[in-house]
Amino acid sequence: EKDGYDYFMLKEIAEQPKAVADTLLGRIGTDGRLHLDEVRIPDQVLREVDKVVIIACGTSFHAAMIAKYAIEHWTRVPCEVELASEFRYRDPILDKQSLVVTISQSGETMDTLMAQRHAREQGAKVLAICNTNGSTMPREADAVLYTHAGPEVAVASTKAFLTQLVACYLVALYLGQVRGTKWGDEITEVIEQLAAMPEQVEKVLDTMEPVRELAHSLKDANSVLFLGRHVGFPVALEGALKLKELAYMHAEGFAAGELKHGPIALIEEGLPVVVVVPSPRGRSVLHDKIVSNIQEVRARGARTIVIAEEGDTAVEPYADHLIRIPATPVLLQPLVATVPLQVFACELATAKGHEVDQPRNLAKSVTVE
Ligand code: F6R
């Protein structure tokens, strides 16, 4: 059932173009508009929503963080993101006009489920983004948007994460479409580009050999840092989480702008620092700032591993290792930028001789608090 792959995780990484395509299937009409009738929340209710709150744990939480950038940009509706374990023990302010979105691969994670129940008790409408048909969260929610990643066997989430991102983009774009924001033209264009993402993910997968070699060469590193900005920040967090859980290494993700507020003190000779570079198009200010960050850490001895769009030549002089990803709309970049980090963590774990599909101390579905 591993189809010739050594691990389920490798198989699941390879399945990502299909998982993304399946999650888009039937949701983009021939008219180029989104059709999410299955979600069952009337458009009128979506027009009246005055706040979106997204709740999740772990990797699903990183998808939620990325969703915030998309929702606020395309819909101008304020969006909060919170770890389920924190949300449910706070006293969150919710009412009928709040749309609460839970994100869960399994649909059974106890913290997220309890948070979802809490939100419904407060009168909020709950939309569950879930990969497991008929699991508890979608059964109890007001509405459901299924991701179609197929069964994920490896404990570490890979293809489920990419499909969660797709579902989040669909929700953000749909909200924008229904509410008719000033970004109408951009929304139409992005829907088109979203439809092309399976091929973009495939392109990344085709160029992973150098990432594998790099991972093997780093198997004796003590620590790896990940930097990103904007949607690249949650991608950095996800890269660090994958490395912790699979390679049992110290790894941390930072917002690159925070570097000078503390983390830069960690930089020492030979420390691998992975940097997710935002598109030089779009918000070019951010791009330029990240290029300075790469220079700064390199000047202090870091070994820089740079993930940058094809054609981004500005990073070349400062990259000890350069990993290219295809150009995408700014907000969609996590769909391609995450893939090398998954491969990196998986290969590093293999190089260290770890059991990739079943990391120690972890369970696929955390049904206890
Ligand atoms: C990391 C991972 C976990 C899960 C988290 C939430 O690779 O798999 O962090 O993302 O336990 O699980 P779900 O999405 O099932 O609620």
Side-chain angles (χ1 to χ4, degrees):
E1 18 169 328
K2 289 183 195 150
D3 290 348
Y5 291 95
D6 289 342
Y7 303 104
F8 279 108
M9 186 175 174
L10 288 172
K11 174 176 175 250
E12 289 163 4
I13 287 174
E15 282 170 350
Q16 293 184 111
K18 180 171 187 302
V20 167
D22 288 349
T23 302
L24 289 167
L25 195 71
R27 290 168 173 168
I28 302 177
T30 44
D31 54 357
R33 290 174 65 80
L34 295 180
H35 298 280
L36 296 185
D37 309 342
E38 54 178 297
V39 163
R40 297 187 321 251
I41 298 187
D43 287 356
Q44 191 50 36
V45 173
L46 293 179
R47 276 186 210 106
E48 283 163 13
V49 163
D50 65 2
K51 164 162 104 166
V52 180
V53 180
I54 317 181
I55 305 166
C57 300
T59 289
S60 302
F61 175 72
H62 298 150
M65 287 178 77
I66 292 164
K68 176 184 165 80
Y69 292 89
I71 288 175
E72 292 197 337
H73 176 70
W74 286 322
T75 74
R76 309 309 298 154
V77 178
C79 176
E80 289 170 26
V81 175
E82 195 159 347
L83 291 166
S85 53
E86 289 297 320
F87 176 87
R88 53 179 290 213
Y89 290 109
R90 228 172 23 91
D91 199 0
I93 303 167
L94 298 171
D95 59 33
K96 287 203 308 292
Q97 274 161 282
S98 316
L99 176 67
V100 170
V101 180
T102 53
I103 307 179
S104 176
Q105 188 286 127
S106 60
E108 302 293 351
T109 301
M110 183 58 78
D111 282 314
T112 314
L113 176 62
M114 296 312 262
Q116 171 172 312
R117 284 185 185 157
H118 184 67
R120 293 200 72 223
E121 279 160 19
Q122 311 293 304
K125 280 260 170 308
V126 175
L127 166 66
I129 292 178
C130 186
N131 195 50
T132 310
N133 246 292
S135 57
T136 312
M137 278 180 236
R139 270 195 282 116
E140 292 190 5
D142 297 290
V144 188
L145 186 63
Y146 278 111
T147 48
H148 296 301
E152 196 178 57
V153 178
V155 164
S157 177
T158 54
K159 60 176 182 169
F161 177 68
L162 256 61
T163 62
Q164 288 168 343
L165 290 178
V166 170
C168 289
Y169 294 133
L170 289 172
V171 169
L173 293 163
Y174 188 71
L175 263 178
Q177 183 179 289
V178 167
R179 297 168 70 101
T181 63
K182 67 170 176 162
W183 301 110
D185 290 347
E186 183 178 321
I187 288 175
T188 312
E189 206 174 295
V190 171
I191 292 175
E192 220 168 88
Q193 313 229 30
L194 189 57
M197 288 313 287
E199 292 98 87
Q200 307 284 48
V201 175
E202 191 73 63
K203 274 191 215 155
V204 184
L205 288 170
D206 288 343
T207 57
M208 286 298 95
E209 203 40 49
V211 176
R212 285 190 192 102
E213 285 163 23
L214 173 65
H216 282 261
S217 77
L218 290 175
K219 76 174 194 314
D220 296 320
N222 290 321
S223 166
V224 181
L225 300 187
F226 294 78
L227 301 178
R229 275 194 96 125
H230 191 254
V231 290
F233 168 41
V235 172
L237 295 177
E238 175 61 6
L241 178 61
K242 283 284 152 312
L243 205 56
K244 286 177 214 173
E245 67 179 328
L246 297 166
Y248 316 151
M249 280 169 81
H250 172 250
E252 264 190 87
F254 298 108
E258 278 291 294
L259 205 52
K260 56 188 168 303
H261 299 289
I264 199 160
L266 290 168
I267 308 293
E268 54 186 21
E269 197 59 41
L271 178 78
V273 178
V274 180
V275 188
V276 182
V277 181
S279 163
R281 300 160 297 109
R283 305 251 162 80
S284 56
V285 197
L286 286 188
H287 174 267
D288 298 350
K289 286 187 195 270
I290 273 235
V291 176
S292 324
N293 292 143
I294 304 173
Q295 284 175 264
E296 281 157 17
V297 297
R298 197 161 185 264
R300 287 164 179 79
R303 179 166 168 188
T304 57
I305 301 161
V306 176
I307 301 181
E309 265 188 12
E310 271 152 22
D312 181 352
T313 50
V315 296
E316 283 168 7
Y318 318 109
D320 294 313
H321 305 273
L322 187 52
I323 300 168
R324 289 296 189 186
I325 51 174
T328 60
V330 175
L331 284 160
L332 302 189
Q333 195 199 50
L335 282 173
V336 287
T338 307
V339 177
L341 302 182
Q342 298 167 338
V343 173
F344 181 70
C346 186
E347 290 297 326
L348 228 157
T350 313
K352 295 181 89 156
H354 297 327
E355 172 44 76
V356 177
D357 288 335
Q358 287 288 337
R360 67 183 183 202
N361 308 340
L362 292 174
K364 182 67 185 160
S365 174
V366 185
T367 53
V368 292
E369 274 193 54

